């Protein structure tokens, strides 16, 4: 009788596996990356190019930033995707705000007009609950505390809280793309 071999599945939440899936320069990675980004930001992404994952530093004393995935889309907007398997001692909310601000600040302002700045989307996949009172996809932007009026449309923060999704055996075809990605992770 032949001995059964078991194959250990790779965890897509692992930084190495996550980067291997989404940062390669091939058709499968492009499709997966575009689908993942589209499912977060709610619009079709036709093209995404993986950019340098270390944001440039102007000040030698500034904190060095190394991103899991940094992309520039066909409309020149920027997307930062971070995978966080467990809470850290550092404040994750401040960290992603810093990442988004740095990415926005690193853009060259064409013709000197701030109206030419492109949006930055920060997509955070958390394998824990960070916002207990928010849905599994928490979306934040800069707006008035009084009226909710938007100050600008340049920084968008999405937190996918994987622990808020009930466990299931399989992905169903009638699920939206974001929910399918949630079950994949």
């Amino acid at each position: 009788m032949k001995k059964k071999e078991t194959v250990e599945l790779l965890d897509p939440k692992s930084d190495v596996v996550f980067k291997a899936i989404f940062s390669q320069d091939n058709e499968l990675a492009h499709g997966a990356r575009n689908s993942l980004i589209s499912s977060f930001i709610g619009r079709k992404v036709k093209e995404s190019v993986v950019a340098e994952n270390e944001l440039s530093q102007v000040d030698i004393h500034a904190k060095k930033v190394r991103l899991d995935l940094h992309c520039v889309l066909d409309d020149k907007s920027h997307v930062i995707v971070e995978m966080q398997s467990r809470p850290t001692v550092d404040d994750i909310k401040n960290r992603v705000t810093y990442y988004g601000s740095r990415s926005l600040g690193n853009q060259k302002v064409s013709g000197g007009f701030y109206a030419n700045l492109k949006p930055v989307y920060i997509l955070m996949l958390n394998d824990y609950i960070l916002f207990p009172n928010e849905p599994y996809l928490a979306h934040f932007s800069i707006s008035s505390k009084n009226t909710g009026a938007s100050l600008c449309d340049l920084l968008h923060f999405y937190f996918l809280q994987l622990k808020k999704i009930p466990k299931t055996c399989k992905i169903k075809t009638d699920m939206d793309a974001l929910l399918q990605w949630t079950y994949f992770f």
Side-chain angles (χ1 to χ4, degrees):
M1 179 173 232
K2 205 175 197 184
K3 188 176 180 178
K4 262 191 173 179
E5 286 187 40
T6 59
V7 176
E8 190 172 327
L9 295 177
L10 298 175
D11 185 358
K13 295 183 301 284
S14 155
D15 276 350
V16 173
V17 176
F18 182 83
K19 289 175 185 177
I21 294 170
F22 295 103
S23 66
Q24 300 295 312
D25 188 17
N26 61 51
E27 196 173 323
L28 284 173
H30 291 234
R33 186 171 58 244
N34 294 347
S35 173
L36 179 67
I37 294 168
S38 294
S39 72
F40 270 90
I41 67 174
R43 67 177 172 83
K44 179 115 173 102
V45 172
K46 295 179 182 132
E47 184 182 343
S48 62
V49 176
V50 176
E52 179 63 44
N53 69 342
E54 288 188 28
L55 297 178
S56 63
Q57 281 184 253
V58 177
D59 180 0
I60 61 168
H61 302 292
K63 186 164 177 73
K64 189 171 185 152
V65 174
R66 179 179 283 271
L67 307 170
D68 287 345
L69 185 60
H70 179 209
C71 302
V72 178
L73 304 183
D74 46 356
D75 67 354
K76 304 299 182 218
S77 57
H78 291 245
V79 176
I80 295 169
V81 186
E82 286 289 307
M83 176 60 72
Q84 192 69 40
S85 295
R86 58 187 172 279
T88 65
V89 294
D90 198 3
D91 187 327
I92 197 69
K93 297 171 199 173
N94 288 345
R95 187 169 99 191
V96 298
T97 303
Y98 183 73
Y99 288 0
S101 300
R102 286 277 300 270
S103 183
L104 188 63
N106 283 344
Q107 291 183 36
K108 301 203 182 341
V109 183
S110 177
F113 295 107
Y114 293 109
N116 294 326
L117 287 169
K118 298 299 181 184
V120 176
Y121 300 92
I122 299 90
L123 316 180
M124 188 76 181
L125 291 91
N126 296 77
D127 200 19
Y128 58 93
I129 295 175
L130 184 60
F131 301 102
N133 297 323
E134 292 288 330
Y136 77 96
L137 179 64
H139 178 198
F140 298 90
S141 58
I142 300 174
S143 59
S144 167
K145 284 186 174 185
N146 301 320
T147 65
S150 179
L151 174 66
C152 69
D153 200 31
L154 291 175
L155 288 172
H156 295 272
F157 303 90
Y158 295 87
F159 295 85
L160 182 61
Q161 303 179 98
L162 297 171
K163 292 290 186 200
K164 284 203 166 196
I165 300 298
K167 301 247 185 257
T168 187
C169 296
K170 60 183 176 177
I171 296 173
K172 298 178 182 147
T173 56
D174 62 339
M175 291 177 177
D176 67 29
L178 184 62
L179 199 51
Q180 289 181 22
W181 277 113
T182 302
Y183 279 117
F184 169 76
F185 289 110

